[in-house]
Amino acid sequence: MSKRKSAAVSEKAPKRLRSAANDEDEGEEEQHATEGDSALSQRFQGPSDVVSDAGVVQSITLKNFMCHSLLGPFAFGSNVNFVVGNNGSGKSAILTALIVALGGNALATNRGSSLKGFVKEGESSADVSITLHNKGKDAYKLDLYGPSITIDLRITREGLRTYKLRSKTGQVISTKKEELISILDNFNIQVNNPISVLTQEMSKYFLHSKGEGDKYKFFMKATQLSQMKEDFIHIKATKELTEQKLENHGEYLKDLRCIYLERKERYKSLASLCEMQTKLEELQKQMAWALVAELEKDLKPAKERLQAEGRSTVKYDEKVEEWENNVKGAEEKYKEIQEQLERITLQVQELQPKCAELKAEAQKSNSLLKSCELTVHRCRNNLRDLEKDRAQLSSRIKDLTLNISQTTGAESQARAKHMEQIETELQNLNLQISTLGQQIDQFQHACSRAKEEQGKMIKEYDELKKYVEASKRRLQTMESSRTNRLRRFGDLMPSLLEAIEEADRKGQFQRKPRGPLGYLIGLKDPELALAVEVCLKTLLLAFTCDNYKDEKVLKGIIGRVYRNNRRPAIITSPFLPDVHNTSGRGVNHPQYPSVLQALIIKDPVVANCLIDQRNIESILLIKNRAEARRVMQGKNPPANCFQAFTMDGDQIFTNKNYSSDQNRANYLSGDVEEEIRHLQRELENQKGQEVRFQQQMRRLEEDIKQNEGLLRRVVMEQRTAKNKATKLQLELTDLRNVEEPQSEDLRPLEEDLQEIVTKISSKTAEYEQAKTRMANLKADYEKADQEYRQHKESISTITDEADSVKEDLSKTDQEVMKCRHHKKHYDDKRSAHLRNIQALEDQLKSKEENLAASVAKASEIWPERLEVSRSAKSIDGEINRLKIKIATQQEQQGDREEIVRQYQEALEKYKNVSQQMRSLNSFIKKVENVITFRLKVYAELRMFLSARCKYYFNTMLAQRGYSGCMKFDHKNETLTISVQPGQGNQADLSDMRSLSGGERSFSTVCFVLSLWAITESPFRCLDEFDVYMDMVNRRISMDMMLKVAASQPYRQFIFLTPQNMSSLPVSKTIRILRLKDPDRGQNKQ
C-alpha cells in the first residue's frame, strides 16, 4: 500500500502486504467489520484535506505503438479521467503503453507475448513517454527530479526496451531499470495488480469467472497478501536450509577442533630437529671442500695426456708431408703422359684432313671409272642392236623383191574393198569401246567412293563399339562403386588392396605401400574433378613404396592379381612424416588455388609423392578457359606457375594451349548416382548411333553390289567389243601386209640400210675410244686407292701408339688416386688427432673452470679451506642418510615453518567458525521469533481486510437495493459471493452465476470498489468496465464510482469506455479525453 494515508483509516498498513495462510472464523470477521463502520462513513463523506498527489499520471504520449503512428500527448486530471472513443481509436493502446512503460511485461497486457509485437508494422521502434507528478511528502528525490518525472520508453523491433528517466527540465537523470523500480516502489505503483490496472481481458475473465478459488486468488493478489504468503514460505525454506547447514557445520566444527589440537601437539615437538640440522650444515661444508680436492686430483692426468698427444702431432705431420710429395710426383708423371697423348692426338688430327682428301680423290676416280664402264657397255649394246637392224632390213628387202613378181591387180582391188569395210566397222567398235569406258569409269568411281565411305563407317563403327564396351564397363564399375568406391579404380583393385593388407600383416613390407593415390585424395571443390583428373592422369591409379624391397614385393602381388591386365604404376620414394615445404617454389595466387591447395590429402606420403611426380604446387586450377588464358598468357604470369588447367580439362601454358579429349571425371566425381545416370544416357545414345550405323552400312552394301553388277556387265561388253576390234585389226593388218609392194617401196628400205651401216662404223670408233679411256681411269683409281690405304695405315700405327699411352695414363691416374687416398687418410687422422687435442684442451679448461667454480662455491659455504680426509662419496652418503632422517622426522612432524603456519591457521579457523556458529544460532532464534510474530500479524491483517471487504461490498450493494454476502474460506482458499437483487431474506441469496449480465457486472463493480477501499495505489485504471451493463446498472455503477472518486481527491481514476459519457455532470474534478475515430486506411489518429 502507499505511504499516503486515508483520512478515515487510522491503522498503519505496510507499503507492500505479504501473506500466509491461517484459518479464522466468521465471528472474528464480523467483529472487525463493525469496528470499520466509522472509517467507511468518513471515507464516503470525503477527507478534510489532500495529503499528496505523488505518483499520479500527468500525461502520456505514444509513437509507432501497436497500430498507431501517434497518440497524444494526453493530459490527465488529478482525480477522475474518462478516455472515450470507438473501438480501434487507441483506448487499449494507452492502457497497454501505461503497463509496459511502468515496468510490466507483455503477458500482463493480454495483448501479446513479446514486446516486439507492440512496434508498428514497418517501423524500427516504438516510443512511449509518461509523466508522473512528484510532489508532496512522498515525492521521490525532489531536489534531483523536480515536481515531475518523465519516463521515456523505447521498444526496438527485436523486442529490446530502453528507459530514459528525465527531470522536470528534460535532463536525463538515469537510464537504468533499477532506478525505475525504485520510483515505482516509492509511489506504490503496481501495474501488474489487477486492482490498480484492470484490463479488458482481465475484467472479462473476472466477470465470467465461476470459480470460487479464482475470486479468492483475485482478492489475495489485489491486497498483496499472496505476495506476503510467498515471502513467508521462502523465508521458512531458507531458515530450514540454514538450520541444516548449521547442523553440518557443527560436525565440521568438531573436526576443526581435532585438527587444531593435533597441530598444537606437533607445534610443541619441534626442538629435536635443530641438532640434526647443525650436523647437516657441517657435513655440507666438508662436502664442498672434498669435491675441490677430488677435482684437483683429476686435473693432473688430463694435463699429462694432453702433453703426450702434443708430441704425437709431429709423427702425423711427417706422414702427411710424405704422401703430399708422392701425390706431386704422381701428378707430374700423369701430366707428362697426358702431354705425350695430346701430341699423338695432334698428329692424328693433322693427318686426318690429308686422309679424308685422299679418300675423296679415290672415290672420285672410282666414280669416273664406273661411269666410263657404263659408257663402254652402252656402246657395245648399241653396236649389237645396229647389227640386228641391218640383218632384218637386208632380209626384208630380199622378201619384197621376191613378192613383187607374184602379186596380181584383181586381188589388190578385193583386198582394198574388204579393208575399207573393216575400217568402218573398227571406227564403230572404237566409239562403242570409248562409251563403255566412260561408263566403266563412272561405275568404278561410284564403287570406290562407296567403298571408301564404307571403310570410314566401318572404322567409325568399330570405334563406336569400343566406346559402347567402354561405357558398359564404366557403368558396371560405377554401379559396383555404390557400395565400394575402390571399384571405380578397377574391378581388381579391391582384391589388390586385400592382398597388400595380407602381406603387410605377414610382415612382408618394411612400410606399407600407399595407393591407389586417387583413392587417398579428396576435392574441396567438386567442380574441379575433371581438371584434377586430366592433370594427374595415370597417377590416380599408381602406388608408392618406401624402398625397392617393398617395390619388388608389391610387383609380385600386382602380377598375381592383374595377370594379363594393365597394371598400375609403382613409384618408389622414401616416406617422410611431414609434407614438403613448398612455400618457396609453389604458386600462391589470391584468386585461384593450386592443385595442392584444391586437394584434401590427409597422408603426407601421398602429398609428397604428387608434389615430386607432378609438381602440383606449381599448377593453377582456373575454371574459365578465357580467364585461364588471360592469367597465364598475360604480361605477368603468376610466379612459380608453368601451367594451368580449366574446369573442362583444357591445359593452358604460357605460350600454347591443349584441349582435353576427356569430358567427364571417372575417379574423383562426388555424385555416383549422377554419374550412373549420365553413363546410362550416354550408353543409350551410343546404342542409337550403333543402330543408325548398321542401317547406313546396309544401304552402302546394297549400292556397292548394284554398282559392281553394272560394272561387271559393262566390262564384259567392253571386253567383247575389244576382242572383236582386235580380230578386225589383225585381219586388216594381214590384208595390208599382203598388199603388193611397188618397186618404189624398196628405195626407202635401202636408204635405211645404208644409214645403219654408217651408224655401225661411227659406234665402232666410239666404242674403241671409250675402252681406251676406261683403261686410263682404272689405272688412276688404283693409284689413288693405294695412296689412301698407305696414309690410313700410318694413322692406324699412330693410333696404336696412342692406345699404349692411354694405358700408361690410366695406370698413372690410378697411382695419383692411390696417393691422394693415402694423403687424405693421414689428413683425416691428423685432423682427428688435432680435434682430440682440442677436445682435451676443452676438457682441461672445463675442469679448471669447474675447479674454480667449485672453490668459489666452497668458499661461499665456508670461506676457510678445510682439510678433509674422507672422500666426497662417503660424505655424500652420510648427508643423504641424515637428510632422509630429517625428512622422515619432518614428514612425521612437518616443516617447522609449515607446522607453525598450519597451527596458526587451524587456531584462527577454529575461532572464526565457532564465532560464525554462535552468530548463526542467534540469528536463527531471532528469525524464528520474527516469523512467529509476523505470521500472527499476517493472520490478523487478512482477517481485518476480509471483514472490511465484506462490509464495503454490502454497503455498495445496498445503494441499489441489493443484498449480498461474502464468505471467505482461508483454509481452502475460496471466496463465495452471493447476491439477491432487491431487498429480501438472506435465505434468498443466490450465486452470481444465476444473475443477468448487467446484474453480474454491477456486482463485480461493487466487489472492485470494495477492494479499492481496502488497498492503496496512486491511480486506478478500468478498461470497459460497463461493457455488459444495461443503462440502469451503468448509471448506478457510474454514480458509485464518481462518489468514491469524489471522496478520494488525492487519488487518480482513469476509466476507458466506448460510451459517449455526455450525461456526466460538469465538474472540475472530471476530465473527458475523446479519441478520434480510427482511420482504417492509414491506422493513424
Side-chain angles (χ1 to χ4, degrees):
M1 293 185 182
S2 174
K3 292 180 179 178
R4 66 178 67 81
K5 301 175 177 59
S6 171
V9 181
S10 60
E11 67 274 6
K12 294 182 179 179
K15 185 176 181 181
R16 288 180 180 264
L17 298 179
R18 304 291 184 258
S19 64
N22 283 311
D23 297 331
E24 301 86 24
D25 55 17
E26 292 297 326
E28 292 177 344
E29 292 178 357
E30 293 297 332
Q31 179 182 354
H32 284 277
T34 306
E35 293 174 355
D37 288 346
S38 60
L40 181 64
S41 61
Q42 292 179 15
R43 179 180 294 274
F44 275 83
Q45 290 171 3
S48 58
D49 57 350
V50 176
V51 177
S52 173
D53 63 346
V56 300
V57 180
Q58 184 175 339
S59 67
I60 184 168
T61 304
L62 283 65
K63 182 179 180 183
N64 297 327
F65 190 82
M66 295 178 71
C67 60
H68 305 282
S69 298
L70 180 64
L71 282 177
F74 300 111
F76 291 95
S78 60
N79 190 220
V80 179
N81 297 271
F82 284 94
V83 181
V84 179
N86 293 326
N87 291 334
S89 59
K91 302 187 301 299
S92 297
I94 294 173
L95 186 61
T96 301
L98 182 66
I99 295 173
V100 173
L102 295 181
N105 54 33
L107 294 174
T109 65
N110 293 314
R111 292 286 178 171
S113 60
S114 175
L115 291 175
K116 61 184 179 182
F118 297 138
V119 181
K120 184 181 178 184
E121 187 70 27
E123 300 295 337
S124 60
S125 63
D127 296 306
V128 179
S129 179
I130 296 177
T131 302
L132 302 177
H133 282 289
N134 189 37
K135 297 178 182 179
K137 65 178 183 179
D138 291 334
Y140 180 79
K141 296 181 182 179
L142 184 61
D143 55 342
L144 184 61
Y145 284 96
S148 65
I149 299 175
T150 301
I151 301 169
D152 290 339
L153 167 67
R154 169 160 289 187
I155 303 173
T156 64
R157 174 58 66 184
E158 291 76 21
L160 301 177
R161 58 178 167 185
T162 56
Y163 288 98
K164 289 183 180 179
L165 305 178
R166 302 179 186 272
S167 64
K168 173 67 175 177
T169 59
Q171 180 184 359
V172 177
I173 304 300
S174 176
T175 58
K176 297 181 179 179
K177 190 174 181 181
E178 290 78 7
E179 181 72 4
L180 174 63
I181 294 173
S182 298
I183 294 172
L184 299 177
D185 286 343
N186 185 78
F187 294 151
N188 197 28
I189 295 175
Q190 309 160 31
V191 292
N192 290 329
N193 192 336
I195 266 321
S196 295
V197 180
L198 187 61
T199 62
Q200 183 177 349
E201 293 297 324
M202 181 58 72
S203 176
K204 186 186 301 182
Y205 170 76
F206 181 65
L207 185 63
H208 293 282
S209 175
K210 299 178 181 180
E212 296 174 348
D214 294 337
K215 292 184 177 65
Y216 185 83
K217 290 178 181 178
F218 188 82
F219 165 78
M220 294 291 285
K221 188 173 182 181
T223 57
Q224 293 187 295
L225 290 171
S226 60
Q227 181 64 41
M228 184 181 290
K229 179 180 178 181
E230 292 173 2
D231 290 346
F232 281 144
I233 293 173
H234 176 70
I235 292 171
K236 276 189 173 182
T238 306
K239 185 178 78 69
E240 291 173 358
L241 183 62
T242 306
E243 289 175 345
Q244 185 178 357
K245 289 184 177 179
L246 191 61
E247 184 179 352
N248 295 335
H249 275 68
E251 299 295 329
Y252 178 58
L253 184 61
K254 292 179 182 178
D255 295 338
L256 284 180
R257 177 175 174 79
C258 294
I259 294 172
Y260 160 68
L261 295 174
E262 177 186 351
R263 292 182 179 178
K264 185 177 180 181
E265 291 297 325
R266 291 176 62 190
Y267 175 72
K268 292 179 180 179
S269 61
L270 292 174
S272 61
L273 290 174
C274 295
E275 294 180 1
M276 287 188 289
Q277 294 286 352
T278 304
K279 187 176 180 180
L280 179 63
E281 291 176 359
E282 184 65 27
L283 288 173
Q284 287 175 343
K285 294 175 186 177
Q286 295 180 9
M287 180 67 180
W289 288 107
L291 289 173
V292 170
E294 289 184 355
L295 287 174
E296 290 175 345
K297 186 177 179 181
D298 292 340
L299 196 61
K300 185 178 179 181
K303 289 181 178 180
E304 293 175 354
R305 185 180 176 188
L306 181 61
Q307 292 173 357
E309 291 293 335
R311 289 191 295 270
S312 300
T313 305
V314 179
K315 182 172 60 176
Y316 285 109
D317 291 339
E318 290 175 355
K319 279 291 185 183
V320 170
E321 185 178 358
E322 177 187 350
W323 283 105
E324 279 183 353
N325 295 330
N326 292 340
V327 169
K328 289 180 181 178
E331 287 178 347
E332 288 176 358
K333 184 179 180 182
Y334 179 81
K335 188 176 181 182
E336 290 175 0
I337 297 174
Q338 192 174 24
E339 289 176 353
Q340 182 182 357
L341 181 61
E342 288 177 355
R343 288 193 298 271
I344 293 172
T345 305
L346 185 61
Q347 290 178 7
V348 173
Q349 291 176 353
E350 290 175 351
L351 292 174
Q352 285 290 352
K354 181 67 175 174
C355 183
E357 183 180 349
L358 291 174
K359 183 178 180 181
E361 289 180 357
Q363 289 176 349
K364 183 179 179 182
S365 298
N366 188 26
S367 299
L368 293 174
L369 177 61
K370 292 191 177 298
S371 177
C372 188
E373 287 177 350
L374 289 174
T375 302
V376 170
H377 182 68
R378 187 174 63 252
C379 291
R380 187 186 300 118
N381 291 336
N382 288 338
L383 282 174
R384 190 183 302 112
D385 292 339
L386 288 172
E387 289 292 339
K388 288 181 180 180
D389 291 342
R390 185 176 65 177
Q392 289 178 356
L393 281 174
S394 298
S395 177
R396 177 67 176 165
I397 290 171
K398 185 178 180 180
D399 292 339
L400 285 174
T401 304
L402 182 62
N403 289 331
I404 287 173
S405 58
Q406 296 177 357
T407 305
T408 61
E411 290 177 354
S412 298
Q413 290 179 0
R415 280 196 303 273
K417 186 176 180 180
H418 188 50
M419 287 170 60
E420 184 178 356
Q421 292 176 354
I422 291 173
E423 288 176 351
T424 302
E425 192 172 353
L426 275 174
Q427 288 179 357
N428 294 332
L429 285 174
N430 287 332
L431 182 62
Q432 183 182 359
I433 290 170
S434 176
T435 302
L436 292 174
Q438 292 177 0
Q439 293 179 0
I440 289 171
D441 291 339
Q442 291 176 356
F443 290 132
Q444 285 178 344
H445 180 68
C447 288
S448 63
R449 189 171 65 249
K451 288 180 178 180
E452 182 179 356
E453 185 175 356
Q454 186 183 34
K456 291 181 180 178
M457 290 193 67
I458 289 173
K459 290 181 180 179
E460 292 178 1
Y461 182 66
D462 292 340
E463 290 293 330
L464 181 61
K465 287 198 293 185
K466 292 179 181 178
Y467 287 144
V468 170
E469 292 299 324
S471 298
K472 288 180 179 179
R473 289 194 298 272
R474 282 167 54 198
L475 179 60
Q476 185 179 1
T477 300
M478 282 293 177
E479 288 176 345
S480 60
S481 69
R482 283 173 171 165
T483 55
N484 190 351
R485 181 170 168 258
L486 269 175
R487 293 193 175 275
R488 300 182 72 171
F489 298 88
D491 292 335
L492 298 176
M493 190 60 71
S495 302
L496 175 59
L497 287 187
E498 289 178 2
I500 292 173
E501 288 287 346
E502 182 65 25
D504 185 55
R505 283 194 295 271
K506 293 179 179 179
Q508 297 179 11
F509 292 111
Q510 294 180 5
R511 300 189 70 177
K512 181 183 173 183
R514 310 290 202 274
L517 299 182
Y519 183 69
L520 302 176
I521 63 176
L523 290 173
K524 296 178 181 178
D525 187 354
E527 293 183 354
L528 297 175
L530 179 58
V532 173
E533 280 197 19
V534 175
C535 174
L536 299 181
K537 297 179 180 176
T538 56
L539 285 176
L540 295 171
L541 299 172
F543 284 75
T544 179
C545 294
D546 176 67
N547 52 74
Y548 290 101
K549 182 181 177 182
D550 290 349
E551 178 187 359
K552 185 176 180 181
V553 175
L554 181 59
K555 279 184 179 178
I557 295 173
I558 293 176
R560 291 194 301 271
V561 174
Y562 277 76
R563 298 184 183 277
N564 298 326
N565 295 296
R566 184 177 178 182
R567 303 178 182 182
I570 302 176
I571 302 164
T572 303
S573 180
F575 290 176
L576 299 177
D578 299 319
V579 180
H580 294 328
N581 183 6
T582 60
S583 57
R585 54 193 173 95
V587 61
N588 189 9
H589 198 276
Q591 293 179 316
Y592 307 110
S594 65
V595 178
L596 179 60
Q597 293 167 345
L599 293 177
I600 302 172
I601 309 176
K602 298 180 180 179
D603 193 344
V605 173
V606 177
N608 292 336
C609 180
L610 295 178
I611 291 171
D612 295 337
Q613 298 296 320
R614 193 65 181 90
N615 297 325
I616 60 174
E617 78 281 4
S618 302
I619 303 175
L620 280 179
L621 296 176
I622 306 173
K623 292 184 179 180
N624 185 269
R625 178 183 174 86
E627 181 65 15
R629 293 187 63 181
R630 183 189 68 79
V631 171
M632 295 299 298
Q633 299 176 0
K635 293 182 179 180
N636 298 315
N640 300 328
C641 180
F642 64 94
Q643 62 177 313
F645 285 87
T646 67
M647 186 171 62
D648 298 326
D650 297 335
Q651 191 175 9
I652 311 297
F653 291 91
T654 55
N655 56 354
K656 54 188 175 182
N657 311 323
Y658 294 105
S659 298
S660 173
D661 297 332
Q662 186 176 345
N663 56 7
R664 298 286 294 186
N666 297 325
Y667 306 108
L668 301 179
S669 59
D671 192 348
V672 178
E673 297 300 327
E674 177 60 27
E675 287 297 321
I676 291 174
R677 289 192 293 271
H678 173 76
L679 287 173
Q680 288 174 346
R681 291 194 297 269
E682 186 176 352
L683 187 60
E684 290 176 0
N685 294 335
Q686 290 173 351
K687 288 182 178 179
Q689 292 180 4
E690 187 177 6
V691 172
R692 290 193 293 272
F693 266 113
Q694 291 173 351
Q695 293 174 353
Q696 291 178 3
M697 289 176 66
R698 282 196 294 271
R699 287 197 297 269
L700 277 176
E701 287 177 358
E702 292 175 357
D703 292 343
I704 290 172
K705 287 181 181 178
Q706 183 179 1
N707 289 328
E708 285 180 346
L710 293 173
L711 178 62
R712 285 194 296 272
R713 191 186 69 185
V714 173
V715 167
M716 290 297 297
E717 290 179 359
Q718 187 187 44
R719 186 178 296 126
T720 303
K722 282 184 177 181
N723 291 336
K724 187 176 181 180
T726 302
K727 291 179 180 179
L728 291 175
Q729 186 66 43
L730 291 174
E731 185 178 357
L732 181 62
T733 302
D734 292 340
L735 290 174
R736 285 175 178 172
N737 290 335
V738 174
E739 185 179 0
E740 180 181 359
Q742 302 296 325
S743 58
E744 58 268 13
D745 292 336
L746 293 175
R747 201 172 293 116
L749 294 176
E750 291 174 350
E751 292 176 356
D752 291 340
L753 180 61
Q754 185 62 37
E755 185 178 356
I756 289 173
V757 171
T758 305
K759 287 182 178 180
I760 289 173
S761 301
S762 173
K763 287 294 181 181
T764 302
E766 184 180 353
Y767 173 66
E768 293 296 332
Q769 186 179 0
K771 283 178 66 177
T772 304
R773 185 167 177 268
M774 184 180 68
N776 295 332
L777 289 175
K778 186 174 181 182
D780 293 340
Y781 166 69
E782 290 176 352
K783 181 180 178 181
D785 184 61
Q786 187 176 2
E787 290 180 356
Y788 165 69
R789 293 181 182 278
Q790 291 176 354
H791 204 77
K792 188 176 180 182
E793 188 68 25
S794 61
I795 291 175
S796 298
T797 303
I798 296 172
T799 304
D800 294 339
E801 183 181 355
D803 291 339
S804 64
V805 174
K806 286 180 181 179
E807 186 176 353
D808 294 339
L809 183 65
S810 176
K811 292 180 180 179
T812 307
D813 183 49
Q814 291 177 1
E815 184 67 23
V816 170
M817 295 297 294
K818 179 180 177 183
C819 293
R820 286 177 179 172
H821 175 72
H822 284 288
K823 178 182 177 296
K824 184 176 182 300
H825 171 70
Y826 285 106
D827 276 338
D828 293 342
K829 291 192 71 175
R830 183 176 66 173
S831 299
H833 176 69
L834 293 175
R835 286 195 299 272
N836 188 28
I837 291 175
Q838 183 64 38
L840 290 174
E841 290 177 351
D842 294 340
Q843 289 177 4
L844 182 61
K845 185 178 179 181
S846 176
K847 288 183 178 181
E848 290 175 347
E849 291 175 354
N850 290 337
L851 177 60
S854 182
V855 171
K857 188 174 180 181
S859 299
E860 290 178 0
I861 296 173
W862 188 249
E864 297 179 1
R865 178 158 184 161
L866 299 176
E867 295 298 330
V868 183
S869 59
R870 299 172 60 187
S871 65
K873 185 176 181 181
S874 64
I875 297 173
D876 185 57
E878 187 174 354
I879 288 173
N880 290 333
R881 287 192 295 275
L882 191 58
K883 283 183 177 179
I884 291 171
K885 190 174 181 181
I886 292 172
T888 303
Q889 191 165 353
Q890 284 180 344
E891 186 177 353
Q892 294 173 354
Q893 298 181 356
D895 183 64
R896 180 182 180 85
E897 296 179 357
E898 182 67 19
I899 290 172
V900 173
R901 185 184 62 80
Q902 290 179 356
Y903 168 68
Q904 292 175 349
E905 287 181 355
L907 177 60
E908 184 178 358
K909 198 170 185 180
Y910 177 66
K911 288 181 179 179
N912 291 337
V913 173
S914 299
Q915 181 63 32
Q916 289 176 5
M917 292 284 289
R918 287 192 294 270
S919 300
L920 281 174
N921 282 320
S922 176
F923 175 73
I924 289 174
K925 290 178 181 178
K926 291 179 181 179
V927 169
E928 183 70 30
N929 295 332
V930 170
I931 290 178
T932 303
F933 174 73
R934 292 198 176 185
L935 284 175
K936 182 179 179 181
V937 173
Y938 164 76
E940 294 175 355
L941 179 61
R942 183 179 60 181
M943 181 177 61
F944 173 70
L945 293 176
S946 302
R948 290 182 63 197
C949 185
K950 289 193 291 184
Y951 178 76
Y952 291 136
F953 181 70
N954 290 329
T955 304
M956 300 292 179
L957 289 176
Q959 294 188 28
R960 195 183 172 191
Y962 285 15
S963 59
C965 177
M966 298 178 69
K967 293 182 181 180
F968 287 91
D969 186 353
H970 296 296
K971 182 177 180 180
N972 297 320
E973 296 185 349
T974 59
L975 171 59
T976 305
I977 300 176
S978 302
V979 178
Q980 174 61 44
Q983 295 295 334
N985 296 326
Q986 290 291 329
D988 297 333
L989 294 177
S990 58
D991 189 32
M992 289 179 63
R993 288 175 290 184
S994 63
L995 301 178
S996 65
E999 292 171 344
R1000 189 162 56 247
S1001 297
F1002 173 74
S1003 301
T1004 301
V1005 170
C1006 293
F1007 183 40
V1008 170
L1009 291 177
S1010 64
L1011 290 175
W1012 279 4
I1014 63 174
T1015 58
E1016 294 290 337
S1017 179
F1019 58 81
R1020 318 280 196 186
C1021 295
L1022 286 179
D1023 187 8
E1024 298 190 8
F1025 62 93
D1026 55 352
V1027 67
Y1028 296 106
M1029 295 184 184
D1030 54 20
M1031 292 301 296
V1032 176
N1033 287 317
R1034 182 180 294 116
R1035 181 181 55 78
I1036 294 174
S1037 299
M1038 187 61 63
D1039 291 343
M1040 291 171 60
M1041 286 188 290
L1042 290 177
K1043 186 176 180 181
V1044 171
S1047 67
Q1048 302 176 17
Y1050 50 83
R1051 185 170 290 127
Q1052 188 180 43
F1053 297 87
I1054 301 174
F1055 302 107
L1056 288 79
T1057 177
Q1059 306 300 325
N1060 192 4
M1061 294 297 162
S1062 58
S1063 61
L1064 289 175
V1066 178
S1067 174
K1068 293 181 179 181
T1069 61
I1070 299 176
R1071 179 172 296 182
I1072 299 176
L1073 302 176
R1074 300 187 184 277
L1075 302 182
K1076 295 181 180 180
D1077 291 338
D1079 187 352
R1080 298 300 182 181
Q1082 300 178 355
N1083 286 334
K1084 294 182 180 179
Q1085 183 179 355

